[in-house]
């Protein structure tokens, strides 16, 4: 098992495994991977399974990536994994490697300096899926990466794959991609968000984790010109922590912004501790939802 | 407490109906730092059962939690929360055995977010309540804070719940 890196640390020639437990984390990392690929002039291919190609395009849009224009000019391609990587007939490792090699060749012909591919491997967890072929594919793909034109991130849902497959996946991939997590507990998760860049907090946050909140905000203040605080999954915040967020916004110079996405209960507390008086702070209402 | 000469106690005499918990309450919950999650879940469940709206429940949780946080942080590490309703008002009362609140008028102005936490919880509570009564116990031990949250839609109590 390798140490986890963030998506900005993967480049052409890399074969990385993205393991995740919640959909937000996966989509955030995928969005950052797509965004960085498009920005650096590479071709980007997303093979999706858990959600439809249209759904994935919408999720990318929601995360500050603009997929539509890239889709139109052919720099980005989003397709269901069945019908692309998996092909029409029996799923075989050889067939999948061939599909991938075809994409590398096409991207080269189209003049792109590299190809980024991300594939949702959830298909292999369905009954009668050729899970063995997935393992063979992950091992066989190394040959393609040696040419230095391909970067591949394979997505594995930790809740859906068995421990044996996950252990194999970790071994078959030279790199592991994961979000930087500041705090992880069943009732509170504080992690870095990559697209749009900032911090994501879910669960319940009070004065007992104020130090970790301050650490995450300090890091985001240092790294991100405009900070995005994704609190859509936050059920509760106390005045102490809301005060920390508002104070961080007030310390930003006038040219920088902090955008907070949260539900009504959290917005109420942010407003009461002075959020509306912080000129650089914008609060967006997230959909009321049960986490 | 009626013999106490200090202003909060005399104020509480005038507002006895609001500040005094009835014998039958909707929630009577002891808590410490590890029980704050459970406390919020309990408040949400009972307020929902009473027919409070989502926003009223949010306000109750915000207020109840700030008072409970105060008790844990400054009031000896633990406390007791009682919730009852009367007419169209929810009453949330938090009792602790701490050193008391020196300034019973705390929280009437908004603290600067860039300065310390002092008074922020009470400021939040005062903004979401129609009444917030702070009473210090005799001999300067313990605090009772009673918050009134308007909840026009709550189910009216049956005769057995009235005292």
């Amino acid at each position: 098992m390798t140490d986890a890196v963030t998506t900005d640390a993967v480049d052409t020639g890399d074969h990385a495994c993205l393991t995740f437990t919640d959909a937000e984390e996966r989509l955030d990392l995928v969005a950052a991977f797509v965004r960085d690929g498009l920005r650096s002039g590479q071709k980007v291919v997303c093979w999706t399974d858990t959600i439809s190609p249209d759904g994935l395009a919408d999720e990318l849009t929601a995360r500050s990536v603009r997929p539509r224009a890239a889709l139109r000019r052919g720099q980005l391609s989003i397709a269901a994994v069945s019908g692309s990587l998996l092909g029409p007939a029996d799923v075989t490792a050889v067939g999948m490697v061939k599909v991938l090699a075809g994409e590398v060749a096409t991207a080269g012909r189209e003049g792109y300096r590299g190809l980024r591919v991300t594939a949702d491997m959830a298909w292999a967890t369905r009954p009668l899926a050729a899970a063995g072929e997935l393992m063979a594919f992950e091992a066989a793909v190394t040959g393609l990466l040696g040419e230095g034109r391909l970067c591949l991130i394979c997505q594995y849902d930790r809740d859906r794959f068995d421990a044996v497959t996950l252990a194999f996946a970790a071994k078959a991939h030279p790199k592991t991609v994961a979000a930087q997590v500041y705090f992880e507990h069943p009732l509170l998760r504080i992690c870095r968000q990559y697209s749009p860049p900032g911090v994501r907090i879910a669960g319940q946050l009070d004065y007992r984790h104020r130090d970790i909140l301050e650490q995450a905000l300090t890091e985001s203040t240092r790294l991100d010109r405009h900070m995005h605080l994704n609190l859509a999954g936050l059920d509760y915040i106390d005045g102490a922590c809301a005060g920390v967020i508002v104070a961080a916004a007030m310390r930003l110079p006038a040219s920088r912004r902090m955008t907070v996405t949260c539900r009504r209960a959290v917005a109420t507390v942010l407003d009461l501790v002075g959020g509306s008086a912080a000129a650089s702070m914008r609060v967006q209402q997230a959909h009321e939802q049960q986490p | 407490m009626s013999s106490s000469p200090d202003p909060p106690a005399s104020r509480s005499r005038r507002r006895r109906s609001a500040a005094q918990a009835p014998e039958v309450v909707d929630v009577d919950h002891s808590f410490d730092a590890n029980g704050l999650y459970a406390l919020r879940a309990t408040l949400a469940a009972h307020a929902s059962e009473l027919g409070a709206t989502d926003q009223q429940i949010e306000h109750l949780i915000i207020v109840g939690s700030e008072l409970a946080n105060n008790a844990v942080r400054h009031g000896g590490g633990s406390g007791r929360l009682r919730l009852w309703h009367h007419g169209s008002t929810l009453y949330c009362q938090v009792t602790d055995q701490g050193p008391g609140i020196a300034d019973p008028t705390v929280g009437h102005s908004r603290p600067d977010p860039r300065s310390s936490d002092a008074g922020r919880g009470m400021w939040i509570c005062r903004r979401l309540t129609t009444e917030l009564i702070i009473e210090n116990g005799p001999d300067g031990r313990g605090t009772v804070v009673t918050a009134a949250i308007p909840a026009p839609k709550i189910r009216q109590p049956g005769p057995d719940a009235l005292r």
Side-chain angles (χ1 to χ4, degrees), chain A residues 222-244:
Chain A
R222 192 161 49 78
L223 293 170
D224 312 320
R225 179 168 156 71
H226 298 304
M227 307 162 65
H228 291 262
L229 253 60
N230 180 352
L231 310 183
L234 190 63
D235 302 316
Y236 172 77
I237 189 167
D238 72 352
C241 287
V244 167

Side-chain angles (χ1 to χ4, degrees), chain A residues 109-134:
Chain A
R109 268 201 313 277
E110 290 169 347
Y112 292 103
R113 70 166 194 85
L115 172 68
R116 289 192 155 209
V117 177
T118 179
D120 181 355
M121 298 309 192
W123 58 270
T125 62
R126 284 198 281 271
L128 307 178
E133 293 298 316
L134 169 65

Side-chain angles (χ1 to χ4, degrees), chain B residues 28-105:
Chain B
D28 189 345
H29 193 104
S30 294
F31 60 86
D32 60 12
N34 294 320
L36 295 171
Y37 299 119
L39 180 71
R40 287 193 280 274
T42 303
L43 282 178
H46 282 269
S48 174
E49 177 67 20
L50 289 172
T53 66
D54 287 349
Q55 194 162 24
Q56 288 157 4
I57 296 170
E58 286 166 19
H59 290 183
L60 173 67
I61 289 173
I62 293 168
V63 169
S65 295
E66 288 299 334
L67 297 179
N69 289 356
N70 263 350
V72 170
R73 296 173 79 184
H74 313 295
S78 63
R80 175 183 184 190
L81 182 144
R82 276 173 285 190
L83 175 76
W84 70 94
H85 63 290
H86 184 77
S88 55
T89 305
L90 285 168
Y91 292 94
C92 176
Q93 183 176 79
V94 171
T95 311
D96 68 46
Q97 296 304 314
I101 295 176
D103 175 12
T105 65

Side-chain angles (χ1 to χ4, degrees), chain B residues 1 19 82 93-96 133-137 142-146:
Chain B
M1 188 177 277
R82 276 173 285 190
Q93 183 176 79
V94 171
T95 311
D96 68 46
I133 302 164
I134 300 174
E135 298 163 276
N136 288 317
T143 310
V144 181
V145 185
T146 310

Side-chain angles (χ1 to χ4, degrees), chain A residues 62 196 228-229 231-232 257-264 267 270 281-287:
Chain A
H228 291 262
L229 253 60
L231 310 183
R257 250 190 346 268
M258 178 194 280
T259 306
V260 182
T261 308
C262 61
R263 286 180 275 143
R264 185 179 57 197
L270 285 171
M281 188 162 152
R282 302 276 179 280
V283 177
Q284 296 175 344
Q285 183 102 4
H287 296 296

Side-chain angles (χ1 to χ4, degrees), chain A residues 185 187 204 206-210 236-240 243 246-247 250 264-265 268-269 272-274 277 288, chain B residues 33-34 36-37 40 54-55 58-59 61-62 65-66 69 72-73 110-111 113-114 117 120 123-124 127-128:
Chain A
H185 181 268
L187 290 166
Q204 304 196 15
D206 66 23
Y207 67 93
R208 289 171 292 172
H209 300 100
R210 189 193 156 129
Y236 172 77
I237 189 167
D238 72 352
V246 171
M250 288 178 128
R264 185 179 57 197
T268 301
V269 183
L272 286 175
V273 302
E288 298 295 323
Chain B
N34 294 320
L36 295 171
Y37 299 119
R40 287 193 280 274
D54 287 349
Q55 194 162 24
E58 286 166 19
H59 290 183
I61 289 173
I62 293 168
S65 295
E66 288 299 334
N69 289 356
V72 170
R73 296 173 79 184
R110 194 184 79 210
R114 287 162 296 190
D117 270 354
R120 187 169 297 136
W123 160 259
I124 291 171
R127 302 295 293 179
L128 298 178

